[in-house]
Amino acid sequence: HCIFVITCIYDEDAMTGDTANQGSGLSGGLSAAGGAAHDAEFLSRIAQRDEQAFRAVIADQSNALHRIAYRMIGQPQEAEDIVQEAMLRLWDHAPRLSQKATGPVKIGAWLKRVTVNLAIDRLRIAKRVSGDEVPDQEDESPLADRLIEKQEQESAARELIAALPDKQRAAIVLTYYEEMQNSEAAEAMDMNIKAFESLLHRARTALLKSFAAQK
């Protein structure tokens, strides 16, 4: 997967805008099927403490959130903790989110933004505690088996991505592993599209340099 990721980055480095990253969009059926009105309905129900609606959101979004957290952190248990925290924040903030004057909140995008921020916070805390970069973790997730062809390639990709600054790492995870469009990834990171594309370009450039240095 290291070769696949680097090749994709190289092929797309000359492309700009959302056409460079045509992905699958929001995962699951909750948001994709019903759009903003569907999200608004579920937020309203969760705000009224409808546990069935909350469980539906968990079932719809958890896998995607766990993938993002795992790719950011590298530890399955830490990733699960982050997903649980993100879901608890949705439960806590649903009343406010459902009444935002700017319009209905996209549940999937909001949860992804919270997940990315929680992962970045944990990485920063770990670096402060250790006084160094967070060490690469052994891949124990069955999900990785479906994403990679060879373990050694995945390990090499993880090492290169783990060496990136936190936000650059998040940009790569969202675009290449989650296959989100630039606009969706920018929303998940609470950035405007131009700032995100600049961040992604820097991440691609850094990965290409690191990959070239390994040859």
Side-chain angles (χ1 to χ4, degrees):
H1 201 73
C2 175
I3 295 173
F4 172 75
V5 171
I6 298 297
T7 301
C8 286
I9 292 171
Y10 178 81
D11 290 342
E12 294 178 10
D13 204 33
M15 302 173 68
T16 59
D18 286 347
T19 55
N21 294 292
Q22 294 296 330
S24 57
L26 296 178
S27 68
L30 181 70
S31 295
H38 201 53
D39 278 3
E41 175 190 349
F42 269 78
L43 272 176
S44 177
R45 288 171 59 185
I46 295 170
Q48 296 170 29
R49 298 310 182 230
D50 184 333
E51 294 184 4
Q52 183 177 3
F54 186 53
R55 284 196 295 269
V57 172
I58 292 173
D60 184 79
Q61 298 292 331
S62 289
N63 286 343
L65 299 183
H66 189 274
R67 288 196 303 269
I68 292 170
Y70 176 75
R71 290 295 175 187
M72 290 288 295
I73 298 294
Q75 297 182 5
Q77 185 58 54
E78 286 269 350
E80 289 177 12
D81 291 345
I82 288 172
V83 173
Q84 290 179 13
E85 177 64 22
M87 290 299 180
L88 286 174
R89 290 193 181 189
L90 176 63
W91 179 263
D92 290 340
H93 293 292
R96 178 178 59 82
L97 294 174
S98 65
Q99 297 175 4
K100 286 194 70 172
T102 54
V105 172
K106 297 178 182 177
I107 293 177
W110 189 88
L111 284 170
K112 287 179 175 69
R113 181 162 60 250
V114 171
T115 299
V116 168
N117 288 337
L118 288 171
I120 289 175
D121 287 345
R122 292 203 179 204
L123 287 170
R124 289 173 177 170
I125 291 171
K127 288 175 184 177
R128 286 199 298 269
V129 170
S130 66
D132 201 352
E133 293 294 317
V134 178
D136 191 35
Q137 302 294 326
E138 187 69 22
D139 190 345
E140 299 173 355
S141 172
L143 174 65
D145 294 336
R146 301 195 296 271
L147 295 176
I148 62 176
E149 294 180 0
K150 295 181 180 179
Q151 180 63 32
E152 59 268 24
Q153 291 179 350
E154 168 65 6
S155 178
R158 276 206 320 278
E159 290 175 1
L160 294 179
I161 294 170
L164 292 173
D166 299 336
K167 288 190 175 181
Q168 290 186 18
R169 186 191 309 191
I172 292 295
V173 168
L174 293 177
T175 52
Y176 290 99
Y177 287 102
E178 290 305 303
E179 299 181 335
M180 295 172 68
Q181 296 182 19
N182 285 356
S183 59
E184 293 174 327
E187 184 175 9
M189 294 188 67
D190 199 20
M191 301 174 68
N192 65 55
I193 186 66
K194 289 186 178 179
F196 175 79
E197 288 178 347
S198 176
L199 175 70
L200 182 60
H201 176 73
R202 295 196 300 273
R204 289 170 174 167
T205 301
L207 275 180
L208 287 171
K209 288 181 179 178
S210 297
F211 182 68
Q214 287 189 343
K215 291 185 176 179

